[in-house]
Amino acid sequence: MTQPRYYFNDDNHKVNLDFANLGFDYYPCPYRFEAVYELGVWRARGVVEETSMTLPEGSQCLHYGQQLFEGMKVNTGADGKVYAFRPAENSRRMNDGARYLQGPEVPEDLFIRGVEEVTRANLPYVPPYGSGASLYVRPFYLGIGDNVGVKPASKYVFRIFVTPVGPYFKGGFGPDQGKSFRVSTLDRAAPFGTGHIKAGGNYACSFKPGAEAKEQGFAEAIYLDPKEHRYIEEIGAANFLAFKGETLITPDSHSVLPSITRRSLLRIAREIYSWPVEERLIDKAELDEIEAAAACGTAAVITWIREVADGEKTWTFPFDQRWQQLYDSLVGIQTAAIDDPFGWRHEIS
Ligand SMILES: Cc1ncc(COP(=O)(O)O)c(C=O)c1O
């Protein structure tokens, strides 16, 4: 295992990257974490340097999509410490996926140890507090082996890379940063398929609807429920939120990825602001009655929706101050700018 050693010429202890102007792009940091599963046992290789991986050509992840990934952010706090946000939730979601794809679970302590080790190894790449950037952490899980039949693998790789990132949607959050989205006629997931797990195949299926939306000048595609095309599901790689009167509403569906950001925002809404919250079917026709709408996720944080286009019909929404309140509370907790009443910050260093 490589022992990362950095030597600095100043007190900044950060690499010379323009953190404030990063996009949501891959920048190869020096170290990643890796573990392998064989004969029923996970073995941590620990922190490694190779950015490339060598896999057997028959690997299930390459042919049959036996693959999962996660996404979370690590931030430097106002107190100078480095924090991950609810990493145990990402571990649980990855294991929901592992069970579904008939692979072994990654023990939660291995997952968390990986997040901690890879972050510590790449500490000079963790964006400083106030830069608006974060270290994006990408755990992933691959079924590998010398195989050709359609069956689950017997060997697996669990790896985590990190990369410093800025906002997912250009411009980030703000009253003048509303985005336009287009309702897709295509689906990313089947009604009782794999929409609820973070399997790579779901994302390959979103490339065409996403590309069609972007070709027409929209930020992303909005998906409707795959059975009736009547209810709102989600938006690209983000969940849907809206205010109807006093109530914060969000879709309840098997084919939506259960967003950790959404779950956190619902709790903030309920317990910090005492706003009513409903998880239920949201008929597209209800857009007529909704006051404000937003997309939420690790990458998107909260991105408020200025416009929804569906064929010839368009709905427009204003910026709502309640998005600002939710954003300030969520990002405040993540960056230790405010107290963490829910115990969501996971201190790494
Ligand atoms: C399809 C999809 N929906 C929603 C989300 C948001 O989930 P989270 O808040 O856990 O990042 C993501 C991103 O992980 C996603 O890929």
Side-chain angles (χ1 to χ4, degrees):
M1 194 209 302
T2 311
Q3 283 300 329
R5 284 173 191 240
Y6 296 97
Y7 296 86
F8 303 98
N9 290 327
D10 57 29
D11 294 336
N12 186 18
H13 291 198
K14 291 289 167 202
V15 290
N16 218 353
L17 275 175
D18 186 7
F19 287 111
N21 290 305
L22 291 175
F24 195 86
D25 299 308
Y26 173 74
Y27 184 93
C29 286
Y31 300 104
R32 51 279 304 127
F33 178 87
E34 193 173 277
V36 292
Y37 178 91
E38 195 173 5
L39 298 173
V41 177
W42 282 102
R43 175 173 56 85
R45 286 186 67 209
V47 168
V48 298
E49 285 195 50
E50 316 88 68
T51 52
S52 299
M53 301 175 73
T54 304
L55 303 177
E57 65 183 0
S59 288
Q60 278 83 343
C61 64
L62 300 176
H63 300 266
Y64 308 125
Q66 198 190 21
Q67 183 274 357
L68 298 161
F69 69 100
E70 273 300 328
M72 72 183 88
K73 279 179 177 169
V74 160
N75 289 294
T76 306
D79 54 5
K81 292 180 180 165
V82 170
Y83 297 101
F85 184 69
R86 310 189 75 182
E89 295 301 318
N90 295 87
S91 162
R92 274 178 215 131
R93 191 168 63 189
M94 176 167 271
N95 283 337
D96 290 345
R99 286 192 301 278
Y100 194 95
L101 298 187
Q102 299 290 295
E105 295 188 16
V106 176
E108 187 178 300
D109 54 352
L110 171 61
F111 187 101
I112 304 278
R113 169 182 162 187
V115 173
E116 291 175 350
E117 284 194 14
V118 73
T119 302
R120 286 194 196 110
N122 294 291
L123 221 43
Y125 293 77
V126 181
Y129 178 73
S131 63
S134 306
L135 190 74
Y136 182 74
V137 179
R138 167 54 63 86
F140 60 105
Y141 173 102
L142 308 174
I144 63 164
D146 297 308
N147 177 71
V148 72
V150 181
K151 60 177 179 300
S154 52
K155 294 186 195 169
Y156 293 81
V157 175
F158 170 61
R159 189 182 249 245
I160 312 177
F161 73 70
V162 295
T163 185
V165 294
Y168 187 65
F169 290 115
K170 213 169 175 300
F173 183 78
D176 56 349
Q177 291 298 337
K179 302 285 183 279
S180 299
F181 298 92
R182 171 185 175 274
V183 174
S184 181
T185 53
L186 306 172
D187 303 319
R188 67 179 280 281
F192 296 100
T194 55
H196 64 298
I197 62 170
K198 218 161 153 59
N202 295 339
Y203 296 81
C205 296
S206 72
F207 289 169
K208 184 175 163 61
E212 285 181 357
K214 285 171 198 160
E215 272 159 25
Q216 293 177 21
F218 296 95
E220 253 301 350
I222 297 191
Y223 297 99
L224 300 178
D225 77 279
K227 192 159 174 229
E228 293 185 72
H229 277 206
R230 172 173 171 190
Y231 303 102
I232 297 174
E233 292 253 302
E234 54 186 335
I235 306 176
N239 277 183
F240 179 80
L241 295 172
F243 279 106
K244 189 171 177 187
E246 307 269 278
T247 308
L248 182 61
I249 61 173
T250 190
D252 179 20
S253 161
H254 178 78
S255 39
V256 165
L257 189 80
S259 155
I260 295 158
T261 313
R262 174 182 69 167
R263 220 175 310 149
S264 307
L265 291 171
L266 295 188
R267 185 136 184 228
I268 289 169
R270 249 190 247 114
E271 297 187 26
I272 298 187
Y273 296 111
S274 305
W275 296 334
V277 163
E278 285 175 9
E279 285 180 70
R280 60 166 173 80
L281 295 177
I282 302 179
D283 199 307
K284 189 176 67 174
E286 264 191 274
L287 289 173
D288 288 339
E289 298 153 34
I290 278 165
E291 272 117 63
C296 75
T298 297
V301 194
I302 299 177
T303 301
W304 70 274
I305 300 175
R306 182 189 298 285
E307 181 189 43
V308 173
D310 180 23
E312 298 299 298
K313 192 164 165 58
T314 301
W315 292 264
T316 52
F317 303 100
F319 177 70
D320 191 302
Q321 196 54 35
R322 290 172 289 186
W323 300 133
Q324 186 76 53
Q325 289 172 269
L326 288 172
Y327 181 91
D328 290 345
S329 297
L330 178 72
V331 175
I333 292 172
Q334 289 170 336
T335 59
I338 60 173
D339 282 349
D340 175 15
F342 310 116
W344 288 342
R345 283 197 291 268
H346 179 91
E347 187 180 326
I348 291 184
S349 76

